[in-house]
């Protein structure tokens, strides 16, 4: 997955921070309950969240580069392509209808006090709040909690095909390394590539969001750390999975404590923004978040 690797290395090298734009009530709930909700991907703002990536993936699997990859795999492990496609097809409906995500954006230094206007407009509502977090939790390489993060590739058909070709050529050009993994690891690795290619691709019209996704696939990767619940979202009952933002010694998680990962809170532009600012300073103090006065900022973009 060269795209994700490039993005990850860049993010680690720059100590990238991430931001979750939401409404003030939701931000309050995240802080008070020490949890963030992951919602069904089909309920997100882009109604074709997964279908876009799946359609592009299927097209490329059937095209020249897909045939090149399949020929290479079958040449060295006869029948493995059928096993991979059967595995993928068996999980495809789950990817589309039983995948849960929460979304964050890359946060930049020049946005520390203002935030990003397009995100305030899209997600802020009457009183928006941005929770900026340190990136270290996104860069872990274990699967202790059964949740995975991935950068989003904003690609059309041509862009997806270019990335797909890069993967195929990398596999074929490094045959000795690939084949040393053995049949089962190759099968699992190719499946993971296809899985994240589908879940990590988005229409290029959303590019300015600079999104990373936190992905929960509870059937594929069951987790005792994540809590399931039925909640009402915008008037509709939905199943959500809740990612705890607290230390959990039982599961060996000591790196998700909100006080440790929260970099700052930006209060979005609104008529009563200063009142919201004061409320969040008090809220952080009441919830045991250290140095609240130094972590809360008010965006003075003149937006109503």
């Amino acid at each position: 997955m060269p795209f994700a690797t490039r993005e990850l290395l860049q993010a680690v090298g720059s100590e990238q921070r991430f931001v979750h734009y939401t409404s003030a009530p939701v931000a309050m709930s995240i802080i008070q309950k020490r949890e963030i909700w992951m919602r069904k991907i089909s309920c997100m703002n882009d109604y074709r969240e997964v279908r876009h990536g799946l359609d592009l993936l299927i097209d490329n699997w059937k095209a020249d580069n897909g045939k090149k990859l399949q020929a290479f795999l079958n040449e060295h492990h006869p029948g493995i392509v059928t096993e991979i496609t059967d595995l993928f097809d068996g999980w495809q409906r789950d990817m589309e209808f039983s995948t849960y995500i929460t979304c964050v954006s890359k946060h930049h230094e020049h946005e520390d006090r203002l935030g990003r206007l397009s995100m305030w407009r899209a997600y802020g509502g009457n009183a928006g709040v941005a929770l900026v977090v340190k990136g270290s939790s996104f860069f872990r390489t274990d699967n202790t909690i059964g949740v995975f993060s991935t950068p989003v590739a904003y690609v059309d058909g041509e862009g997806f095909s270019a990335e797909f070709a890069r993967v195929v050529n990398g596999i074929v050009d490094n045959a000795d390394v690939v084949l040393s993994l053995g049949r089962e690891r190759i099968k699992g690795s190719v499946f993971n590539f296809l899985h994240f290619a589908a879940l990590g691709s988005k229409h290029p019209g959303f590019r300015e969001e600079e999104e990373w996704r936190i992905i929960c696939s509870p059937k594929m990767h069951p987790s005792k750390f994540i809590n399931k619940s039925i909640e009402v979202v915008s008037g509709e009952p939905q199943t959500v999975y809740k990612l705890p933002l607290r230390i959990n010694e039982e599961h060996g998680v000591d790196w998700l404590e909100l006080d440790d990962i929260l970099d700052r809170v930006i209060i979005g532009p609104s008529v009563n923004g200063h009142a919201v600012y004061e409320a969040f300073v008090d809220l952080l103090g009441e919830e045991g978040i250290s140095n609240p006065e130094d972590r809360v900022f008010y965006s003075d973009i003149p937006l109503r």
Side-chain angles (χ1 to χ4, degrees):
M1 292 179 274
F3 168 79
T5 301
R6 293 195 306 271
E7 287 290 312
L8 177 62
L9 292 175
Q10 187 278 328
V12 171
S14 63
E15 298 184 340
Q16 180 69 58
R17 291 170 295 161
F18 297 92
V19 57
H20 182 65
Y21 285 87
T22 187
S23 66
V26 172
M28 284 184 60
S29 178
I30 291 171
I31 293 168
Q32 291 174 325
K33 296 180 179 179
R34 294 291 208 281
E35 65 186 21
I36 189 165
W37 293 5
M38 290 173 284
R39 295 174 55 207
K40 191 183 290 284
I41 199 168
S42 58
C43 296
M44 307 306 282
N45 64 325
D46 173 9
Y47 69 95
R48 298 189 75 251
E49 287 275 6
V50 182
R51 197 67 250 177
H52 177 74
L54 277 171
D55 289 346
L56 293 175
L57 177 63
I58 292 169
D59 288 345
N60 279 269
W61 185 253
K62 295 177 180 178
D64 289 345
N65 279 304
K67 293 176 181 176
K68 178 179 179 180
L69 175 59
Q70 293 174 53
F72 170 82
L73 294 172
N74 272 336
E75 177 185 354
H76 297 282
H77 293 289
I80 193 173
V81 170
T82 298
E83 295 174 18
I84 292 170
T85 53
D86 287 348
L87 182 62
F88 187 87
D89 290 346
W91 283 107
Q92 182 174 325
R93 181 173 177 80
D94 183 80
M95 293 178 203
E96 196 166 0
F97 297 107
S98 298
T99 297
Y100 297 79
I101 67 170
T102 195
C103 303
V104 296
S105 295
K106 293 169 68 174
H107 181 76
H108 305 288
E109 187 174 354
H110 68 269
E111 298 171 329
D112 273 351
R113 290 185 175 272
L114 298 179
R116 191 176 308 168
L117 179 57
S118 61
M119 300 298 281
W120 292 131
R121 286 172 167 163
Y123 301 103
N126 293 329
V129 171
L131 303 176
V132 182
V133 296
K134 301 169 186 176
S136 56
S137 299
F138 293 83
F139 309 146
R140 297 184 64 86
T141 57
D142 61 68
N143 60 353
T144 305
I145 61 176
V147 171
F148 304 90
S149 62
T150 184
V152 169
Y154 296 94
V155 287
D156 54 13
E158 183 177 350
F160 190 100
S161 295
E163 287 296 330
F164 192 91
R166 189 170 288 114
V167 174
V168 173
N169 291 332
I171 291 173
V172 174
D173 293 344
N174 294 275
D176 290 346
V177 176
V178 173
L179 295 175
S180 70
L181 299 176
R183 185 185 186 100
E184 290 305 308
R185 285 192 63 190
I186 291 173
K187 183 168 69 174
S189 296
V190 174
F191 171 79
N192 283 333
F193 154 57
L194 299 176
H195 183 205
F196 282 97
L199 296 183
S201 300
K202 196 169 182 177
H203 191 284
F206 293 89
R207 188 185 309 275
E208 65 185 9
E209 293 182 351
E210 297 185 280
E211 181 182 332
W212 278 52
R213 288 178 173 169
I214 304 171
I215 299 173
C216 174
S217 301
K219 294 181 181 178
M220 189 181 300
H221 299 287
S223 171
K224 295 180 180 179
F225 183 74
I226 307 299
N227 302 312
K228 178 182 177 181
S229 179
I230 309 298
E231 303 289 347
V232 176
V233 181
S234 300
E236 298 179 349
Q238 296 180 15
T239 298
V240 301
Y241 283 80
K242 301 177 179 181
L243 176 63
L245 301 177
R246 61 176 74 247
I247 292 174
N248 187 312
E249 295 181 355
E250 178 184 357
H251 294 96
V253 179
D254 59 359
W255 42 271
L256 265 179
E257 170 56 45
L258 183 60
D259 190 29
D260 295 331
I261 66 175
L262 183 66
D263 179 79
R264 64 184 56 223
V265 177
I266 308 174
I267 307 302
S270 67
V271 175
N272 298 309
H274 287 289
V276 179
Y277 165 84
E278 293 175 0
F280 269 83
V281 171
D282 290 341
L283 174 66
L284 293 191
E286 291 176 1
E287 295 301 323
I289 304 297
S290 58
N291 305 315
E293 297 86 355
D294 298 328
R295 298 208 208 191
V296 184
F297 300 84
Y298 171 58
S299 175
D300 61 359
I301 298 175
L303 173 69
R304 290 191 175 185

